[in-house]
Amino acid sequence: MTTSHRKELIIVTGASTGMGAATARELGSRGFHVLAGVRRESDAERVRAADLEPVIIDITNPGNIEALAARVAGDPESRPLRAVVNNAGIAINAPVETLPLEQWRRQFEVNLFGHIAVTQAVLPFLRQSRGRVVNISSVGGKIAMGTYGAYSGAKFALEAVSDSLRRELAPQGVQVVLVEPGGVKTEMTGHGIERAQDFVQQMTSSQRDVYGDLMQAVINQAVSFTKSGVSADKAALVIAEAVTARKPKTRYTIGRDAALLTRLARILPDRTLDRITAANLRPHFPKAAAQR
């Protein structure tokens, strides 16, 4: 692919805000016609622009996905689909013991199965155009911190699915690329922090006795992590590179933290990683807990 594009279609899911919205704008500015997936009509009006066409996509809704495929098939200008950016996601952080199974299932439905469903629906078009699947993973797809079991579990699985898909589709001329962001200043991160805070209040008193300090430390760390993260617009530049590069890498990281952590995960023993992650989390514990 080149960046001097005549009109071609690109799908970006989760384009209401954050990295998805920034990626849709960036790709639109490069000459693509972007089908920007949003969940509400109010979001649609906010993102609509000359090269951005909002489409209602809840990636857990089969009817929405069927409508998306029909939109691509019936494009009035017969434009090819050059790429799908599977970006939609949610963050639900809580200890493995305390997170209800329905919340585990919700996390996997959105962050894994929804992406698979969208990919299955659009692969016939990508095969015709020799296009590209770009899956937005996370540094959490390489390292699973405490309370990130559900989120990282889905992201680890997305990494494995992407590796398998890349090997399946290579003979067909369809490329599969992973993007692994670290700290990025997005609304999703803020919503994840809010959900974690709400979850602490929903815990039983015995659960708070065991996990309350850990949850507060993780929340404090996430706030600090996000403040020092890159902007959504900078993250969008990396995603756009993954979409448009003629010979893309199999994986791109976003932010120096992601680049460092993904490398450490490859070379360090588990116990060493345990000590590093514990040391990084320690300053974020409530003072009383840290002194115990």
Side-chain angles (χ1 to χ4, degrees):
M1 290 188 197
T2 68
T3 55
S4 60
H5 277 287
R6 45 306 96 206
K7 295 294 185 181
E8 296 178 313
L9 299 178
I10 292 183
I11 296 167
V12 180
T13 66
S16 298
T17 59
M19 285 194 304
T23 298
R25 290 193 300 268
E26 178 62 28
L27 291 169
S29 74
R30 298 187 184 202
F32 294 101
H33 185 81
V34 181
L35 302 179
V38 300
R39 295 186 63 199
R40 293 175 289 271
E41 290 293 345
S42 57
D43 295 330
E45 292 311 309
R46 187 173 65 253
V47 305
R48 190 184 304 277
D51 293 305
L52 269 64
E53 177 188 338
V55 290
I56 301 298
I57 310 173
D58 176 345
I59 65 171
T60 67
N61 184 318
N64 285 174
I65 295 173
E66 290 173 8
L68 174 64
R71 166 64 187 83
V72 175
D75 184 66
E77 298 181 33
S78 300
R79 291 167 290 200
L81 179 66
R82 294 303 305 181
V84 58
V85 179
N86 286 312
N87 169 73
I90 58 173
I92 305 172
N93 291 352
V96 171
E97 182 180 8
T98 65
L99 188 65
L101 281 178
E102 63 267 23
Q103 294 294 332
W104 280 86
R105 294 188 178 102
R106 174 64 176 162
Q107 185 84 100
F108 275 74
E109 284 292 339
V110 176
N111 286 6
L112 178 65
F113 300 133
H115 298 323
I116 294 172
V118 170
T119 301
Q120 288 177 337
V122 303
L123 264 177
F125 308 110
L126 294 173
R127 190 175 294 113
Q128 291 172 5
S129 66
R130 299 178 72 84
R132 190 168 301 177
V133 177
V134 177
N135 287 332
I136 308 303
S137 180
S138 168
V139 66
K142 293 296 188 183
I143 296 181
M145 310 286 287
T147 78
Y148 283 77
Y151 180 80
S152 286
K155 292 297 187 180
F156 267 69
L158 182 63
E159 296 257 344
V161 169
S162 299
D163 284 342
S164 183
L165 189 66
R166 186 180 68 251
R167 290 157 186 156
E168 292 167 2
L169 297 182
Q172 303 170 31
V174 178
Q175 297 171 313
V176 179
V177 181
L178 276 159
V179 178
E180 299 163 338
V184 179
K185 300 171 185 176
T186 69
E187 288 82 350
M188 190 195 83
T189 305
H191 293 327
I193 292 169
E194 291 172 3
R195 289 192 190 98
Q197 291 170 330
D198 291 342
F199 191 81
V200 172
Q201 300 306 313
Q202 297 168 19
M203 284 180 170
T204 66
S205 58
S206 60
Q207 288 174 338
R208 279 196 296 272
D209 288 342
V210 176
Y211 293 114
D213 290 337
L214 173 62
M215 284 290 291
Q216 190 56 56
V218 169
I219 291 168
N220 293 343
Q221 185 184 51
V223 170
S224 174
F225 197 53
T226 303
K227 286 180 179 178
S228 63
V230 303
S231 69
D233 287 338
K234 287 186 178 179
L237 294 176
V238 179
I239 298 171
E241 171 68 12
V243 170
T244 61
R246 185 178 294 278
K247 294 182 178 179
K249 297 183 289 187
T250 59
R251 284 172 168 79
Y252 292 80
T253 57
I254 296 178
R256 283 181 290 183
D257 55 334
L260 174 62
L261 289 171
T262 54
R263 288 194 187 98
L264 291 179
R266 288 197 301 268
I267 63 176
L268 293 181
D270 289 344
R271 296 298 186 190
T272 303
L273 275 175
D274 289 349
R275 289 193 291 271
I276 290 172
T277 56
N280 286 339
L281 186 61
R282 195 171 298 120
H284 300 284
F285 273 85
K287 289 184 179 179
Q291 293 170 356
R292 286 203 289 268

